[in-house]
Amino acid sequence: MRRAFPEVSDDAFASWSWQVKNRIDDVEGLARVFELTDEEREGFARTRSVFRFGVTPYYAALADPRDPSCPIRRQIVPRPEEATVRIGELADPLGEVPREVVPNLVHRYPDRVLLLSTDRCPVYCRFCTRRRIVGRTERQSTRALLDEAFEYIAEHDEIREVIVSGGDALMLGDNQIDHMLERIRSAPHVDLVRIGTRMPVTCPMRVTPRLISVLSKYKPVYVMTHFNHVKECTAEAEAACAALIDAGVVVYNQTVLLRGINDDVESIAALNRRLVRMRVTPYYLHQCDMAEGIEHFRTPLATGLEIIDGLRGHMSGLAVPQFCVDVPGGLGKVTMLPEWVVAKDGRATTFRTYTGSSARYLDPEDVDSSKRGS
Ligand SMILES: *Cc1c(COP(=O)(O)O)cnc(C)c1O
Ligand code: SF4
């Protein structure tokens, strides 16, 4: 896998600090790993001021050196389309700016807050919908800056859950993470911490024994990772997830539906089958947000519905995620299902099933008809 980096020792390649320090951050660096097409080179030229480029040697080495449509390659290499902003696309598609109650803390739902702990990521995904902030400065938030967020969490006892995201929350060092979780957990009303990170995918060597021992102190800790394609489920990625899970960290996955990368039943089925084998539970299949410059990644809503239709019943329900749309404006996430109900008539509801047959369910007779939602 790492034939593109023959001069690097195995120990260095397996160290996350080496991966982050040696991140490939320009077109020449990537061209040393594989030959770029003219279109890819144009993508670099046109997006220089649009969104930062960066990829770990580990993740770059997963890309197919010959096939520009490789699902890994599509996630990391800029394309010229990114420079085009379409009508309806938004810099802040999820309305996070107006809901930022103190610096770096978004309070959108009554009992959950989102902490933007860093703007850095090991890999800058070309479809990132938080591109307005991610990779902008590549400076860590200072402790003082996050202090206000910790105070807000302590003062609001309706907050039950803190989602530590970014950027990639695990770009922070172990001591910073320790300090952050300690501050969050010192609020007695916080039931759990959720950490959003792509590290198991883009830099699995980040999951070290030291990180595990830090996270283990603050259970329940949920790690929400972000696999988009089965090609990302390498032995290293699997070992990282296993180490977290064996230590009692709960690992869920969120996938973004991406045109030309994973937008068909077979891709999502293969990915999720593999994830459950890795003990990682598929949580959301996300509809791509309406962020600026990523229309070429977006699929129509019907595609997500067709995928769920193709999974439900055909494979383990454990491997079927919820199809989630974070509606523009930050008004909340909604989930969508294919239409399973084909008719309603009084007590009777007629369903179609995954095989295409139909069946009728009768509501109990001895309840008030106003309780039947028909
Ligand atoms: C997605 C999100 C959450 C969490 O939503 P769940 O449906 O609980 O996963 C919370 N706050 C913000 C701002 C979010 O974007
Ligand atoms: S890891 Fe997440 S926040 Fe970072 S670039 Fe990728 S999608 Fe954006």
Side-chain angles (χ1 to χ4, degrees):
M1 169 211 293
R2 36 168 304 233
R3 58 193 141 33
F5 304 91
E7 74 290 3
V8 183
S9 77
D10 288 350
D11 281 354
F13 200 81
S15 123
W16 82 276
S17 53
W18 184 88
Q19 289 286 339
V20 170
K21 234 178 270 142
N22 291 280
R23 200 171 53 181
I24 299 159
D25 59 6
D26 58 17
V27 60
E28 294 78 31
L30 194 63
R32 279 193 286 275
V33 184
F34 50 78
E35 201 179 319
L36 296 169
T37 65
D38 291 344
E39 196 187 26
E40 287 174 328
R41 285 187 179 275
E42 192 199 333
F44 270 96
R46 293 196 54 191
T47 58
R48 225 184 293 278
S49 61
V50 175
F51 183 48
R52 185 181 286 268
F53 168 76
V55 59
T56 53
Y58 163 84
Y59 195 70
L62 299 184
D64 189 316
R66 277 166 300 274
D67 178 10
S69 69
C70 160
I72 308 278
R73 192 153 156 172
R74 287 286 321 276
Q75 293 185 63
I76 55 181
V77 185
R79 286 171 75 98
E81 295 96 307
E82 267 182 63
T84 309
V85 176
R86 312 240 174 202
I87 290 170
E89 290 180 343
L90 304 164
D92 177 23
L94 304 181
E96 290 176 342
V97 172
R99 289 172 185 79
E100 191 165 331
V101 284
V102 294
N104 301 307
L105 193 74
V106 179
H107 196 170
R108 183 213 283 186
Y109 291 110
D111 67 342
R112 281 151 287 167
V113 285
L114 178 71
L115 180 66
L116 304 171
S117 59
T118 170
D119 72 349
R120 303 169 67 208
C121 298
V123 170
Y124 290 108
C125 315
R126 300 321 302 178
F127 52 84
C128 182
T129 63
R130 253 199 217 120
R131 51 181 56 217
R132 76 176 193 283
I133 40 176
V134 166
R136 271 286 144 90
T137 57
E138 284 232 316
R139 266 185 286 117
Q140 306 281 16
S141 289
T142 59
R143 281 195 179 190
L145 199 57
L146 288 181
D147 265 349
E148 274 188 73
F150 299 140
E151 278 158 28
Y152 182 93
I153 292 165
E155 285 161 9
H156 288 77
D157 59 9
E158 72 275 23
I159 297 171
R160 298 218 164 93
E161 181 175 337
V162 178
I163 302 165
V164 183
S165 184
D168 194 311
L170 296 186
M171 280 299 268
L172 300 174
D174 296 331
N175 291 339
Q176 284 171 293
I177 294 170
D178 197 349
H179 169 80
M180 184 167 65
L181 296 183
E182 188 189 352
R183 290 291 304 269
I184 294 170
R185 284 315 226 140
S186 67
H189 47 271
V190 173
D191 291 336
L192 54 97
V193 179
R194 205 194 294 192
I195 296 176
T197 176
R198 249 204 129 183
M199 285 280 185
V201 184
T202 53
C203 185
M205 37 298 268
R206 175 67 187 91
V207 181
T208 59
R210 168 97 175 94
L211 175 70
I212 300 268
S213 77
V214 169
L215 298 182
S216 298
K217 289 199 281 179
Y218 302 102
K219 284 185 242 177
V221 171
Y222 283 62
V223 163
M224 313 301 289
T225 188
H226 179 174
F227 288 90
N228 286 331
H229 196 275
V230 71
K231 265 190 94 171
E232 297 167 337
C233 301
T234 62
E236 289 90 339
E238 182 161 2
C241 294
L244 289 164
I245 297 163
D246 287 345
V249 173
V250 185
V251 183
Y252 274 89
N253 185 66
Q254 321 199 84
T255 295
V256 180
L257 195 50
L258 297 166
R259 199 198 310 174
I261 292 178
N262 61 10
D263 59 339
D264 54 80
V265 175
E266 295 70 34
S267 298
I268 298 295
L271 170 64
N272 288 349
R273 212 178 276 126
R274 185 65 167 271
L275 288 173
V276 291
R277 214 176 80 192
M278 289 162 56
R279 293 181 284 158
V280 174
T281 306
Y283 178 52
Y284 283 151
L285 176 64
H286 276 288
Q287 175 68 13
C288 202
D289 297 328
M290 284 169 50
E292 289 177 346
I294 59 170
E295 192 183 66
H296 57 296
F297 283 120
R298 292 203 285 126
T299 51
L301 290 166
T303 303
L305 291 171
E306 273 163 33
I307 290 173
I308 300 299
D309 210 334
L311 302 183
R312 171 60 61 198
H314 298 279
M315 67 190 299
S316 168
L318 294 173
V320 182
Q322 299 183 65
F323 177 43
C324 178
V325 186
D326 214 338
V327 298
L331 301 176
K333 293 178 174 71
V334 297
T335 55
M336 291 180 81
L337 282 171
E339 205 51 79
W340 302 111
V341 173
V342 292
K344 279 192 138 193
D345 179 20
R347 288 205 294 134
T349 300
T350 308
F351 294 97
R352 75 175 169 89
T353 72
Y354 78 103
T355 55
S357 46
S358 68
R360 248 160 47 109
Y361 181 87
L362 293 180
D363 277 344
E365 201 164 17
D366 61 350
V367 295
D368 193 323
S369 63
S370 68
K371 293 220 164 79
R372 296 185 202 124
S374 53

